[in-house]
Amino acid sequence: MIEDLKKTFLDELESVKSLADLSNLKVKYLGRKGIITAELKSLSSIPPDERPLHGKKINDIKQFIEEKLDSRESQLKKEELGRQLLSDSLDITLSGKFTTFGREHPINKILSEITDIFVRMGFSVEEGPEVELDYYNFEALNIPKDHPARDMQDTFYISDDIVLRTHTSPVQVRVMEKRKPPVRFIAPGKVYRCDADITHTPMFHQIEGLMVDKGITFSNLKGVLEAFLHRMFGADTPVRFRPSFFPFTEPSAEVDIGCILCNGAGCRVCKGSGWLEILGAGMVNPRVFENVGYDPEEYSGFAFGMGIERIAMLKYSIDDIRLFFENDIRFLRQF
Ligand code: DAH
């Protein structure tokens, strides 16, 4: 009779079509009032010497039923998942959701390009305050009280002796004050001048550079700046140095590159000259060294400074500097 149980169970399992059917079958056999449970209970009513053998048979059947139920269950679940995947399948014709990505601002792009070039030449990167003491912005850089750059028209004064820095050159003084030579760094940052038209904004960006050691000469200045300009604008770009004047360098130079827009033929941007002024530079004035406690007999060095907006305008053919700061997304997307 107990052998028949196995057969009956297998027949019934055969007709199970859903997880609900299966659950009912499980209750029917293994539940508290189930067939197997009843069989186990009835063990007490048979003769003691038959109990072990009979008990084992029931337990074997129980285990058999459990295994069959389990495997059928996982089979049914798999079938159900397959049906589900088929019924709510992906609609690949639906258009995707797009995330708009930001871009690096063209000024930051040029800044990091320039920074990369100098860092690879062994320069470190330094910073200084934008609200600066008159002393660092002018005095220590040998810009005397009556110098035109100190005119109220150019400089934003916070008080008599505090200004918004008009250039990044004060970082030279700050770094040299706290560090002994050799020094070799660039200092990018914002500068401020009371000026506004299509090539001037009251805030703009500069990069300063300084290299001081024993035996630094004008050749070093030329070599480093030429290497920089060739990496920045291309190896064939002509470079020329013109005599100039800055209070904090002696001698001073202005550095031009052959016009990248007309290749030197002469155009509106280079005003027909074929050349574009890119940076100011020179050998550090001994007076600046004295102000920071360096001995000008022992050390020499060169400094340079350039405007980032100007370089970006030339590189990207932008004719109005104000476009950089209007945050018009149509403009910014182009870089
Ligand atoms: N500070 C100057 C300016 O804002 C630029 C400059 C010229 C920086 C010559 C220098 C330099 O370090 O040597 O116009």
Side-chain angles (χ1 to χ4, degrees):
M1 178 221 163
I2 210 157
E3 280 72 23
D4 295 342
L5 204 54
K6 221 172 174 173
K7 234 176 266 156
T8 327
F9 167 77
L10 285 174
D11 287 346
E12 286 182 63
L13 186 65
E14 194 73 14
S15 62
V16 158
K17 292 281 172 282
S18 67
L19 284 165
D21 291 350
L22 191 76
S23 160
N24 288 336
L25 190 64
K26 190 172 181 174
V27 171
K28 181 171 177 188
Y29 282 85
L30 302 175
R32 257 191 312 125
K33 292 176 181 160
I35 297 169
I36 298 296
T37 321
E39 285 290 340
L40 285 168
K41 277 182 189 156
S42 71
L43 273 181
S44 55
S45 62
I46 63 170
D49 58 329
E50 288 174 26
R51 276 181 209 166
L53 187 67
H54 196 69
K56 188 182 177 315
K57 276 186 184 161
I58 299 174
N59 272 326
D60 285 350
I61 273 210
K62 188 181 177 209
Q63 204 185 336
F64 173 83
I65 290 179
E66 280 171 347
E67 279 164 12
K68 288 285 170 200
L69 286 172
D70 279 353
S71 74
R72 183 79 180 119
E73 182 175 340
S74 55
Q75 191 188 354
L76 282 169
K77 278 186 172 160
K78 219 186 270 176
E79 284 170 18
E80 185 145 313
L81 183 67
R83 272 196 303 277
Q84 223 170 47
L85 284 177
L86 274 181
S87 64
D88 43 54
S89 61
L90 284 177
D91 181 358
I92 56 162
T93 63
L94 205 63
S95 56
K97 286 182 190 155
F98 293 97
T99 314
T100 24
F101 288 99
R103 304 266 176 92
E104 197 174 20
H105 191 280
I107 296 301
N108 282 334
K109 229 173 138 156
I110 297 286
L111 261 174
S112 43
E113 258 180 69
I114 297 174
T115 305
D116 275 2
I117 295 172
F118 282 106
V119 165
R120 268 181 272 158
M121 288 198 270
F123 284 67
S124 66
V125 180
E126 306 292 339
E127 282 184 340
E130 290 168 29
V131 179
E132 184 56 287
L133 289 173
D134 179 282
Y135 174 76
Y136 289 109
N137 196 78
F138 296 124
E139 206 72 35
L141 289 165
N142 191 38
I143 303 175
K145 283 260 187 273
D146 53 3
H147 195 276
R150 306 193 70 164
D151 200 302
M152 284 294 282
Q153 285 167 12
D154 292 325
T155 309
F156 288 111
Y157 277 88
I158 304 282
S159 70
D160 267 356
D161 54 357
I162 301 174
V163 300
L164 293 184
R165 68 177 178 188
T166 58
H167 52 177
T168 43
S169 303
V171 186
Q172 290 185 29
V173 182
R174 286 184 171 274
V175 171
M176 285 192 283
E177 267 186 352
K178 46 171 218 246
R179 225 186 280 162
K180 291 283 149 240
V183 293
R184 181 163 42 165
F185 67 86
I186 53 166
K190 292 182 164 65
V191 300
Y192 301 84
R193 286 182 202 178
C194 194
D195 204 352
D197 57 41
I198 67 162
T199 52
H200 298 88
T201 43
M203 182 283 296
F204 60 103
H205 298 78
Q206 284 190 336
I207 285 194
E208 193 75 15
L210 181 71
M211 178 164 183
V212 181
D213 203 347
K214 287 180 177 153
I216 299 287
T217 68
F218 203 88
S219 305
N220 298 121
L221 179 158
K222 284 191 80 175
V224 167
L225 292 181
E226 256 174 30
F228 159 67
L229 291 167
H230 283 158
R231 287 201 195 145
M232 190 71 195
F233 296 101
D236 306 327
T237 312
V239 175
R240 79 174 180 188
F241 291 75
R242 277 181 296 114
S244 185
F245 172 81
F246 298 102
F248 36 92
T249 47
E250 183 57 37
S252 303
E254 240 145 346
V255 187
D256 300 340
I257 57 168
C259 182
I260 50 178
L261 295 144
C262 63
N263 277 324
C267 67
R268 195 177 51 88
V269 176
C270 63
K271 299 194 181 83
S273 73
W275 294 93
L276 298 167
E277 188 189 313
I278 294 293
L279 41 81
M283 300 306 291
V284 179
N285 193 315
R287 293 218 185 129
V288 177
F289 281 152
E290 278 159 14
N291 289 336
V292 299
Y294 283 10
D295 180 0
E297 296 298 323
E298 194 180 356
Y299 296 106
S300 57
F302 65 83
F304 57 90
M306 65 192 115
I308 306 306
E309 280 75 0
R310 182 172 159 73
I311 293 177
M313 287 171 81
L314 293 170
K315 255 200 129 156
Y316 300 129
S317 294
I318 294 163
D319 56 10
D320 188 339
I321 193 175
R322 292 169 296 198
L323 287 165
F324 289 125
F325 307 115
E326 282 169 354
N327 290 334
D328 185 330
I329 208 79
R330 293 166 302 177
F331 171 76
L332 296 172
R333 274 215 183 107
Q334 298 174 63
F335 305 97

